Amino acid sequence: MPGIQEVFDGTTQKSPEHTQIELEHQSSYDRDRDELARLGKKQVLKRNFGFMSMLGFSCTIMVTWEGMLVLFLAGYQNGGPAGLIYGFLFVWVGTLCVFTTLGELASMAPTSGGQYYWVAMLAPPSSRRFLSYITGWLNVIGWQAFLASGAYLCATIIQGLIVLNYPEYNAQRWHGTLLLWSVICVAVLVNTVIVSLLPKLECVILIIHVLGFFAIMIPLVYMAPHGSAKDVFTLFVNGGGWQTTGLSFFVGLYGNVFAFLGTDAAIHMSEEIANASTNVPRSMLVSVLLNGTLGFAMLVAVLFCSGDITAEAIIDTPTGYPFIAIFVQATQSVSGSTGMAIVVVSLGICATIAFLASASRMTWAFARDRGLPMWRYLSKVEPRSSIPLVSILTSVTISCLLALINIGSDVAFNAVISLTINGLYSSYLLAAGLLLWRRCTGSISLPTTYESNPKIVTEGEAVSAQGTINLTWGPFRLPGPLGIAINVVGCLYMLIIIFFSFWPPTREVDAATMNYSILVTGFWILFSIVYYFAYAKRIYKGPLIEI
């Protein structure tokens, strides 16, 4: 057998090649363990993910080309075809800058806590605990809302397909809630019962993600009538009645932003990835480039293939999703369009599986540092499978309870899940802004290689809310002015997105069209501040040292 040599005493001896592979694997394991120890954390989760499986995880959680189809209406109503095209490019470049910066932070400190840990690491000592705490809350509620919103979109697409195939069907909100729960059940099954297969499953989903793109693109482009390039690249629509087309363009960006959301999922899986300080930033950036390419190609194809459908028909489609109407026009077949839409919703369900994994890891990490109520329970890891089972079940419970709001009012439910963009982007901005301050003041030293400095950093050197922090770049970084420029562009982009995420889709609003995200986000920020000063300040000391 290759790699094994038989010796005369009846034992087996490993060949030099096999031994070298084992040594490299052990070196990677030791490096990951020691990097985590340097951050003051014990290795309690299994490192089952490699680069390719985490790339699949990142790509399928973003589902950019699928998300662009699902949220097509947001940019079409405010921006039109040209607004969608240039808005996508604007968001793509901005997202790339943001996650290049976050990739540098992930390389410096690859921990599941992500943003709140980095804020504690970078902020001035006087405000370190408070800023870290607020960042952790923003990230946790952002991911919980993301999980609920992903399941909700899948559920309502399924309802749209039922309407397409059975026009007499009377869609009810409680039907959507039951379907949402069904999607969540699938995510729970994969994240608990067959969790050991999740890395391999993500590789398979990555392949389906790419093949599904071509399965939609080819019949769409081949069968649909094509519009003119002038309409696609020059026609702007101000469906919201805003004072200027430019203002309408920025209001309509959130659909494209949502299609790129979730890239930081790899960060919250850092303690389950081999060679995390390198593979986490690599998987994030490659996924943004790959998904951006597929998403832009699909967007251009859909816009060219929607030529014979009026804007009113797109906006008022009975299925609730314009991409289904575009599929029907292209194929002239309800069954064919249903099959194409099933590809989209199936990948959406796969994304929900990853949403749950990331949301639960973020919840577990913050609870581990005593940032959440009931932290003693939320921070537990199931010993047999090495997964944060209580955090997984808590995340599921939160989503199922949020789904009940949809029965009473879909407006109220949408207000809650609007925390997705606001919560996540606010946490990104705090971490990226502090990194910009630190790099401009020269507070971060150059890295040393693992081989030349493999020791575990001691308690006095690890991150602590009270101690002195020695900041060192990781293996991934952009040096000098280039890094500063990317950091600045990313921060400016996030400020724009956060600002316009609070705007309603139309200038004239009523109770149904009002954007309540400013109210919901403000409530949670106020709640976290009150809870911090009333109780958490006594127990939350920043990222704890466990070694």
Side-chain angles (χ1 to χ4, degrees):
M1 180 182 296
I4 300 292
Q5 297 175 335
E6 298 292 335
V7 292
F8 291 111
D9 62 0
T11 63
T12 60
Q13 190 176 44
K14 296 175 182 177
S15 69
E17 294 83 0
H18 192 84
T19 303
Q20 179 65 25
I21 292 172
E22 280 198 346
L23 287 173
E24 290 175 358
H25 176 76
Q26 185 66 26
S27 176
S28 175
Y29 175 81
D30 291 342
R31 185 185 298 111
D32 288 326
R33 181 195 61 198
D34 293 352
E35 279 183 342
L36 202 56
R38 176 174 61 84
L39 303 176
K41 300 300 180 185
K42 294 179 181 178
Q43 180 71 58
V44 295
L45 304 179
K46 293 181 181 179
R47 293 189 181 269
N48 294 324
F49 285 86
F51 170 71
M52 285 305 300
S53 55
M54 186 46 57
L55 176 62
F57 187 90
S58 298
C59 284
T60 53
I61 207 169
M62 289 169 65
V63 285
T64 301
W65 69 260
E66 301 93 330
M68 184 279 305
L69 288 173
V70 172
L71 297 168
F72 179 84
L73 183 59
Y76 194 90
Q77 185 177 5
N78 279 297
L84 278 166
I85 291 285
Y86 303 119
F88 187 96
L89 295 174
F90 176 78
V91 171
W92 189 9
V93 172
T95 302
L96 194 58
C97 290
V98 169
F99 285 99
T100 298
T101 299
L102 295 189
E104 293 179 298
L105 286 167
S107 188
M108 291 171 64
T111 169
S112 295
Q115 293 92 301
Y116 83 85
Y117 189 101
W118 302 334
V119 168
M121 183 176 73
L122 297 168
S126 60
S127 57
R128 186 174 297 157
R129 273 199 295 166
F130 177 72
L131 290 178
S132 170
Y133 186 79
I134 297 301
T135 304
W137 265 96
L138 288 169
N139 208 354
V140 168
I141 62 175
W143 270 103
Q144 295 299 333
F146 200 8
L147 173 59
S149 62
Y152 174 75
L153 290 173
C154 293
T156 50
I157 292 172
I158 294 172
Q159 279 191 293
L161 291 177
I162 297 173
V163 170
L164 177 66
N165 287 271
Y166 303 95
E168 69 279 5
Y169 167 64
N170 183 22
Q172 301 292 324
R173 286 196 294 268
W174 65 271
H175 297 171
T177 295
L178 291 177
L179 289 169
L180 186 155
W181 288 349
S182 300
V183 173
I184 291 292
C185 286
V186 175
V188 175
L189 174 67
V190 176
N191 276 277
T192 54
V193 179
I194 58 172
V195 66
S196 61
L197 299 177
L198 184 58
K200 295 179 181 179
L201 181 62
E202 291 298 338
C203 291
V204 173
I205 295 172
L206 175 60
I207 296 172
I208 298 173
H209 173 66
V210 175
L211 294 179
F213 166 81
F214 291 104
I216 301 295
M217 172 75 80
I218 292 172
L220 185 65
V221 173
Y222 180 75
M223 302 178 70
H226 296 169
S228 68
K230 181 180 179 181
D231 287 342
V232 171
F233 292 103
T234 64
L235 179 60
F236 288 88
V237 174
N238 184 359
W242 298 101
Q243 293 92 330
T244 66
T245 302
L247 190 57
S248 176
F249 167 83
F250 282 105
V251 171
L253 282 177
Y254 80 87
N256 283 323
V257 172
F258 202 93
F260 278 99
L261 212 57
T263 313
D264 63 313
I267 294 168
H268 306 303
M269 303 293 288
S270 290
E271 296 176 36
E272 298 173 64
I273 307 172
N275 199 12
S277 59
T278 301
N279 283 337
V280 169
R282 283 176 61 204
S283 65
M284 288 195 300
L285 294 181
V286 173
S287 65
V288 172
L289 290 171
L290 175 60
N291 270 12
T293 302
L294 297 179
F296 186 70
M298 182 63 74
L299 175 60
V300 173
V302 167
L303 289 173
F304 269 103
C305 296
S306 61
D308 287 351
I309 303 181
T310 63
E312 292 75 16
I314 288 178
I315 294 173
D316 298 329
T317 174
T319 64
Y321 289 96
F323 77 90
I324 297 178
I326 295 172
F327 287 174
V328 172
Q329 178 200 241
T331 62
Q332 296 297 308
S333 167
V334 170
S335 58
S337 302
T338 302
M340 293 168 69
I342 285 174
V343 174
V344 176
V345 75
S346 298
L347 287 166
I349 294 172
C350 292
T352 306
I353 295 170
F355 293 163
L356 177 57
S358 292
S360 60
R361 269 52 169 195
M362 179 60 222
T363 302
W364 165 78
F366 198 39
R368 175 178 60 178
D369 288 320
R370 304 179 182 178
L372 294 173
M374 300 186 297
W375 58 267
R376 287 184 178 87
Y377 304 101
L378 292 172
S379 60
K380 288 183 177 180
V381 174
E382 206 279 323
R384 289 175 298 178
S385 57
S386 297
I387 60 172
L389 182 61
V390 177
S391 289
I392 291 173
L393 296 179
T394 301
S395 299
V396 168
T397 302
I398 291 171
S399 291
C400 290
L401 292 176
L402 288 177
L404 294 174
I405 300 174
N406 182 58
I407 298 176
S409 170
D410 55 354
V411 175
F413 180 75
N414 286 326
V416 174
I417 64 176
S418 67
L419 284 166
T420 303
I421 293 177
N422 306 324
L424 294 182
Y425 264 71
S426 296
S427 70
Y428 302 161
L429 181 60
L430 283 166
L434 287 168
L435 177 63
L436 179 62
W437 168 59
R438 287 287 191 175
R439 77 194 310 162
C440 288
T441 55
S443 304
I444 309 176
S445 60
L446 294 175
T448 56
T449 62
Y450 169 78
E451 289 76 10
S452 64
N453 185 24
K455 75 182 184 71
I456 299 175
V457 176
T458 63
E459 182 171 326
E461 297 169 298
V463 173
S464 167
Q466 296 83 20
T468 300
I469 300 174
N470 297 320
L471 297 174
T472 305
W473 289 110
F476 173 80
R477 73 183 184 99
L478 294 180
L482 177 61
I484 293 175
I486 294 294
N487 204 158
V488 169
V489 172
C491 288
L492 292 175
Y493 165 75
M494 286 186 283
L495 286 171
I496 293 171
I497 297 304
I498 293 171
F499 176 71
F500 282 102
S501 69
F502 297 120
W503 287 51
T506 59
R507 185 183 178 187
E508 301 295 331
V509 297
D510 54 26
T513 59
M514 178 61 186
N515 186 345
Y516 294 97
S517 59
I518 184 83
L519 176 64
V520 177
T521 304
F523 168 79
W524 279 110
I525 292 176
L526 182 62
F527 172 82
S528 62
I529 292 173
V530 171
Y531 183 76
Y532 175 78
F533 286 106
Y535 177 73
K537 187 177 181 180
R538 298 193 297 272
I539 61 170
Y540 181 74
K541 306 299 181 182
L544 295 177
I545 298 169
E546 301 174 343
I547 57 173

